[in-house]
Amino acid sequence: MTTSSPGGRDRRPGERGDLLDPRCPTRRLLDRIGTKWTSMAVKVLAEEAPGELRFAELRRRIPGISQKMLSVTLRSLVRDGLVARRVEPVVPPAVHYRLTELGLSLEGPLRALRVWAETHMAEIDHSNRLADESSPDQRVDRMR
Amino acid sequence: MTTSSPGGRDRRPGERGDLLDPRCPTRRLLDRIGTKWTSMAVKVLAEEAPGELRFAELRRRIPGISQKMLSVTLRSLVRDGLVARRVEPVVPPAVHYRLTELGLSLEGPLRALRVWAETHMAEIDHSNRLADESSPDQRVDRMR
DNA sequence: CGGTATCCTCAATGATACTG
DNA sequence: CAGTATCATTGAGGATACCG
């Protein structure tokens, strides 16, 4: 998602002057969870609750995520107060992450979305397939 | 959101070969609703249900959306089978949009997310404010 | 171990102009 | 009215290398 403005304006929560909805909570939330790895990180942490997971463990449980993106994602979640970060001051640093209460409270809505997705993505795929077979010609001469 | 690959791979529902989860339904759904205007369009249409809305009406009810993005968003929703498009063959064309049953079924989960957002975004903002005041210095010398 | 620093690519979105 | 066609910008995310 894209909260900030590619070609428009958009402000921090406090600024005003926007012509369009400036701080619509829903859009802001979707900009966060719509970010490629956030919801997966929350899910993984939620399944582990109330335990904690270390950086490397999280990475193992989120197939395909890069070290950079896990770092970025976690930093964002911590900043938002959805995840708590605990550093154990041992030799090779051990950092633990866990959902805060706020983060945990997001799991319900997120799970509902997951259930919907698992239940209905096949229908969406079917609809797309129908569109693909019944229009490629029109598309060719009106698009491209 | 970004379904397709900025720097990686990603395939249509049918292709395989991905190292990471290829067709995780949840990610695919988030890639759709995470797109800047989709959830707002669904919401507006849901509030109108079971009525229909015309292109221009939709545009009026979604402040800030451009003609192009409304068009793109609606095309995508129709293709996914979440929205039905009805063209009245009159002189200046009149096109009506309404949620399908599938689209309507997504409203529940989406509303739950909206409620969560409206209920908790203030906490997130607060958490961000805390982060801003307690670290700007560290950030300055480790980021930037 | 847990990150951070760079560099690079590409899809999402905006702005603008044109059309059946 | 309801789009489509272009063009430009931006930021998410990947690859890679280095660090306390």
Side-chain angles (χ1 to χ4, degrees):
Chain A
M1 209 70 318
T2 303
T3 300
S4 24
S5 48
R9 70 292 64 200
D10 236 292
R11 305 299 192 298
R12 294 314 125 246
E15 311 179 27
R16 77 281 82 85
D18 293 49
L19 305 172
L20 27 145
D21 53 0
R23 293 134 294 175
C24 164
T26 302
R27 173 165 308 170
R28 293 179 57 221
L29 178 62
L30 284 170
D31 284 339
R32 287 152 203 267
I33 67 174
T35 226
K36 194 164 183 179
W37 306 104
T38 304
S39 60
M40 181 162 286
V42 171
K43 180 197 174 193
V44 166
L45 285 169
E47 290 173 338
E48 199 57 23
E52 297 178 309
L53 285 174
R54 295 181 56 176
F55 191 89
E57 293 174 316
L58 271 165
R59 201 179 167 186
R60 262 193 299 283
R61 301 193 193 207
I62 305 178
I65 195 171
S66 65
Q67 192 171 39
K68 172 191 167 183
M69 287 317 295
L70 178 55
S71 173
V72 168
T73 300
L74 288 172
R75 228 188 295 160
S76 166
L77 285 169
V78 169
R79 187 188 163 82
D80 284 344
L82 297 173
V83 166
R85 182 177 185 267
R86 184 172 65 85
V87 182
E88 268 191 88
V90 292
V91 195
V95 186
H96 303 253
Y97 294 91
R98 65 171 181 75
L99 287 183
T100 58
E101 264 198 39
L102 183 59
L104 216 45
S105 77
L106 177 57
E107 244 300 278
L110 270 188
R111 179 163 39 241
L113 222 49
R114 265 186 248 123
V115 170
W116 191 95
E118 281 151 22
T119 307
H120 301 285
M121 280 314 280
E123 296 172 60
I124 288 186
D125 286 338
H126 181 245
S127 177
N128 273 280
R129 247 173 281 119
L130 285 183
D132 282 342
E133 19 182 86
S134 64
S135 70
D137 29 296
Q138 283 104 303
R139 320 202 83 135
V140 171
D141 63 73
R142 54 172 45 193
M143 300 287 281
R144 224 312 16 214
Chain B
M1 134 201 359
T2 302
T3 301
S4 23
S5 47
R9 72 291 67 202
D10 235 291
R11 303 298 192 299
R12 294 314 125 247
E15 309 179 27
R16 74 282 83 84
D18 292 48
L19 305 172
L20 27 145
D21 54 1
R23 294 134 295 176
C24 164
T26 303
R27 173 165 308 170
R28 294 180 56 223
L29 177 62
L30 285 170
D31 284 339
R32 287 154 203 267
I33 67 175
T35 225
K36 194 166 184 179
W37 305 104
T38 304
S39 60
M40 182 162 286
V42 171
K43 181 197 174 195
V44 167
L45 285 168
E47 290 173 338
E48 199 58 21
E52 298 179 308
L53 285 174
R54 296 182 56 176
F55 192 90
E57 293 173 317
L58 271 164
R59 201 180 167 187
R60 262 192 299 283
R61 301 193 193 208
I62 305 178
I65 195 170
S66 65
Q67 193 171 38
K68 173 189 167 184
M69 287 317 295
L70 178 55
S71 172
V72 168
T73 301
L74 288 172
R75 228 188 294 160
S76 166
L77 286 169
V78 169
R79 186 189 163 83
D80 284 343
L82 297 173
V83 166
R85 182 177 185 268
R86 184 172 66 84
V87 183
E88 268 192 89
V90 292
V91 196
V95 185
H96 302 253
Y97 293 91
R98 65 171 181 76
L99 286 183
T100 59
E101 265 198 38
L102 184 59
L104 217 43
S105 77
L106 178 57
E107 244 300 279
L110 270 188
R111 179 164 37 242
L113 222 49
R114 265 187 249 124
V115 169
W116 191 94
E118 282 152 21
T119 308
H120 301 285
M121 280 313 281
E123 295 172 61
I124 288 186
D125 286 337
H126 181 245
S127 177
N128 273 280
R129 246 172 282 121
L130 285 183
D132 282 342
E133 19 182 86
S134 64
S135 69
D137 29 296
Q138 283 104 304
R139 319 201 84 134
V140 172
D141 63 73
R142 56 173 45 194
M143 300 288 281
R144 215 338 352 230

